[in-house]
């Protein structure tokens, strides 16, 4: 909430702020709903928070003008501000773990290899759908969507965004899979023990 309030104080562009922060606000509503009906692991709650903060920072400055990434860009001689690539990496990394929790928790697939394949495909589809939303916003608002799109003149921006999301989803599954399994198991044991005590 503190970051949301800071983000909304004199953002660079108010319409861009609304467009960038809206997914975080919707996500907050879904997290509250899940808290009571389908509790998630601490790992997933933490990742959702980090992703929301990334969105709010991008909303405040616009993704093309986050000051710290201008500084990093000077260090590495980047031709553009790459904060948007962090955002798209998170767009694959975080939803991968949310999808993994739901797919494993609900027992969607019987065979072992299918969950990872489905999750990566889901994250890539989500990224592609977000790129379509950016395109529709650009068509609807004309030049006013430039800050939201954040292409910064890069002709392969859309493809690059999807590649970052794809990379994020794959890395999340590789790096966090075992840790996530332990938390899912602990959450299942807690839920079953509470069910026994209520009975």
């Amino acid at each position: 909430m503190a970051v949301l309030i800071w983000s909304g104080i004199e953002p660079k562009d108010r319409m861009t702020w609304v467009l960038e922060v809206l997914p975080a606000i919707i996500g907050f509503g879904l997290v509250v709903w899940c808290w009571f009906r389908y509790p998630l692991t601490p790992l997933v709650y933490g990742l959702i928070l980090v992703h929301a903060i990334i969105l709010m920072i991008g909303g405040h400055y616009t993704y093309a003008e986050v000051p710290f990434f201008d500084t990093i860009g000077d260090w590495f001689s980047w031709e553009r501000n790459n904060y948007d690539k962090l955002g798209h990496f998170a767009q694959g990394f975080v939803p991968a773990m949310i999808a993994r929790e739901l797919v494993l928790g609900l027992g969607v697939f019987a065979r072992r290899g299918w969950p990872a394949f489905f999750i990566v495909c889901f994250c890539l589809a989500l990224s592609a759908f977000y790129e379509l939303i950016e395109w529709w916003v650009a068509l609807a608002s004309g030049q006013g969507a430039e800050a939201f799109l954040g292409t910064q003149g890069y002709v392969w921006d859309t493809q690059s965004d999807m590649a970052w999301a794809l990379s994020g989803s794959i890395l999340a599954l590789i790096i966090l899979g075992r840790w996530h399994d332990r938390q899912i198991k602990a959450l299942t044991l807690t839920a079953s023990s509470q069910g026994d005590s209520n009975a």
Side-chain angles (χ1 to χ4, degrees):
M1 289 304 294
V3 178
L4 177 62
I5 292 166
W6 163 82
S7 178
I9 298 171
E10 297 183 7
K12 176 83 176 178
D13 180 85
R14 181 60 65 181
M15 187 60 189
T16 300
W17 179 83
V18 170
L19 292 170
E20 299 293 3
V21 172
L22 186 60
I25 294 170
I26 292 169
F28 175 74
L30 291 172
V31 164
V32 170
W33 180 82
C34 282
W35 182 268
F36 294 104
R37 294 178 179 255
Y38 188 84
L40 304 172
T41 59
L43 174 62
V44 167
Y45 283 129
L47 288 172
I48 291 170
L49 175 62
V50 170
H51 196 186
I53 290 171
I54 290 170
L55 292 171
M56 291 173 202
I57 292 170
H60 182 79
Y61 293 110
T62 78
Y63 276 76
E65 300 181 57
V66 174
F68 181 62
F69 273 71
D70 281 337
T71 303
I72 295 174
D74 292 340
W75 295 345
F76 294 101
S77 300
W78 291 342
E79 294 181 3
R80 67 192 301 277
N81 187 306
N82 283 312
Y83 186 78
D84 67 318
K85 301 311 174 195
L86 172 65
H88 284 282
F89 180 83
Q91 190 183 63
F93 197 93
V94 177
M97 299 313 293
I98 298 170
R100 188 177 192 275
E101 186 140 329
L102 294 174
V103 165
L104 295 180
L106 297 173
V108 176
F109 297 101
R111 295 192 180 179
R112 262 188 101 182
W114 282 103
F117 176 75
F118 169 81
I119 290 163
V120 171
C121 290
F122 166 77
C123 291
L124 189 55
L126 182 67
S127 176
F129 183 64
Y130 190 80
E131 294 300 323
L132 290 174
I133 291 171
E134 287 184 343
W135 176 45
W136 296 330
V137 169
L139 291 176
S141 59
Q143 294 298 320
E146 179 60 32
F148 179 56
L149 289 172
T151 59
Q152 302 175 68
Y154 182 39
V155 68
W156 301 112
D157 186 69
T158 299
Q159 293 83 354
S160 174
D161 290 347
M162 290 189 289
W164 278 102
L166 176 63
S167 302
S169 66
I170 294 168
L171 276 175
L173 296 178
I174 293 170
I175 295 169
L176 299 179
R178 289 185 179 178
W179 183 16
H180 193 216
D181 286 340
R182 289 194 296 271
Q183 289 202 3
I184 290 172
K185 187 175 180 180
L187 188 66
T188 304
L189 290 172
T190 303
S192 63
S193 65
Q194 287 177 348
D196 292 341
S197 63
N198 290 336

